[in-house]
Amino acid sequence: MIEDDYMKKVQCWCGSKLPYRDCHGKIEYKLKKLKESGEKIPNKRLIKNAEQINGIREAGKINSLILDTVAENIKVGMSTQDIDDIVMKRTKELGAIPACLGYEGFPKSVCTSVNNQICHGIPSSDVILKDGDIVNVDCTTIYNGFVGDASRMFTFGNISENAAKLIRVTKEAVELAVSKLYPYCHLGDIGYYVGSYAHDNGFNVVREIGGHGCGLSMHEDPYVCHVGTLGSGIVLAPGMVFTIEPMINEGTARFFVDEKDGWQVYTADGKLSAQIEHMVLITEDGYEVLSK
Ligand code: MF3
Ligand code: CO
Ligand code: CO
């Protein structure tokens, strides 16, 4: 009887025009069972359909092409405004829209966070990239109405040994958490793998700013904390798209926000922070990175 309810031939509610049982039906039935066994489950609206996934995949690819262009052109002596210009030009060439520009009043097309800046760095012609700097470029792009979001680290000249370690550990922490994803794993698993890896390497993880559901708009539920406990939080169902984007600090995890602009976030102790962001999809049999 319950199976009938979930497997009936009516069209899926999501607009895919597929029979419910071939679309969200299977997943919702599994989630219902998990809920009955005491699990926390995601809102069904967070589970994308095939058409949306194709659109988000495309947006992710376009976003990566823009970051590739940044990677090819970024160099010492350039200002972070120059990075913004590169992003704007490439985004237009690709027929896309920079999602950051005007987002809740953000004044530029991309975030460029240098050294002790944790995130939301505002590109400026006054900020010149110099030897020894580490920079995060966080790009978010709207393409055909879908959103791609990813960020990479760039370094210049001779960076300190600890800076190199910080970036390596950040990258490895994200890769570790991604590699552990599977259908119906838990949100807290991500925080567990990222957090424990960073802590074991002597670094600290920002808790109050983190990843997020993504794809139809820039920031969707759930909030992805990069500190957590294995097996805690909602289960992650096939069709869910979210980012993993830890901000990992050399020193304290505490931070402050620039009062003048309300955006730029800095480490409280002035030490370095690194971030790497990937957008991932949970699939029926594993995961897919949408930011390659
Ligand atoms: N790309 C950022 C993220 O990963 C958000 C950008 S904030 C904006 O969530 F204001 F610049 F848009
Ligand atoms: Co981002
Ligand atoms: Co993001």
Side-chain angles (χ1 to χ4, degrees), residues 88-244:
M88 193 53 174
K89 179 163 174 278
R90 188 70 176 127
T91 303
K92 277 191 187 154
E93 265 172 26
L94 292 165
I97 300 166
C100 293
L101 189 60
Y103 176 84
E104 290 184 12
F106 192 79
K108 299 286 174 172
S109 298
V110 66
C111 296
T112 53
S113 304
V114 184
N115 296 334
N116 59 323
Q117 248 176 350
I118 292 178
C119 64
H120 302 159
I122 300 175
S124 160
S125 47
D126 296 336
V127 179
I128 310 293
L129 302 175
K130 55 184 195 312
D131 192 280
D133 281 347
I134 69 167
V135 184
N136 173 271
V137 177
D138 187 349
C139 194
T140 315
T141 302
I142 304 169
Y143 185 68
N144 281 337
F146 297 101
V147 182
D149 186 10
S151 83
R152 300 182 194 169
M153 291 301 294
F154 299 98
T155 67
F156 303 97
N158 297 310
I159 60 168
S160 72
E161 231 172 80
N162 211 39
K165 182 184 172 193
L166 179 68
I167 294 170
R168 175 178 58 79
V169 167
T170 303
K171 186 166 179 282
E172 289 170 352
V174 174
E175 285 168 358
L176 174 67
V178 169
S179 75
K180 298 288 187 183
L181 294 170
Y182 60 91
Y184 308 102
C185 70
H186 293 83
L187 185 59
D189 300 355
I190 297 168
Y192 169 76
Y193 287 113
V194 171
S196 55
Y197 193 77
H199 294 145
D200 288 351
N201 279 283
F203 296 129
N204 291 300
V205 180
V206 174
R207 293 165 185 259
E208 297 85 351
I209 317 167
H212 49 88
C214 193
L216 306 184
S217 57
M218 175 160 31
H219 291 144
E220 302 173 15
D221 281 342
Y223 172 68
V224 180
C225 186
H226 298 104
V227 179
T229 315
L230 212 51
S232 71
I234 58 166
V235 294
L236 299 174
M240 288 178 75
V241 178
F242 52 87
T243 69
I244 300 181

Side-chain angles (χ1 to χ4, degrees), residues 27 59 76 78 88 144 149 213 266 280 289:
I27 297 166
V76 168
M78 188 177 255
M88 193 53 174
N144 281 337
D149 186 10
Y266 295 84
V280 289
V289 178

Side-chain angles (χ1 to χ4, degrees), residues 12 33 53 62 72 106 136 139 198 222 266 270 273:
C12 191
K33 289 287 173 196
I53 289 167
I62 295 286
E72 284 156 20
F106 192 79
N136 173 271
C139 194
Y266 295 84
S273 183

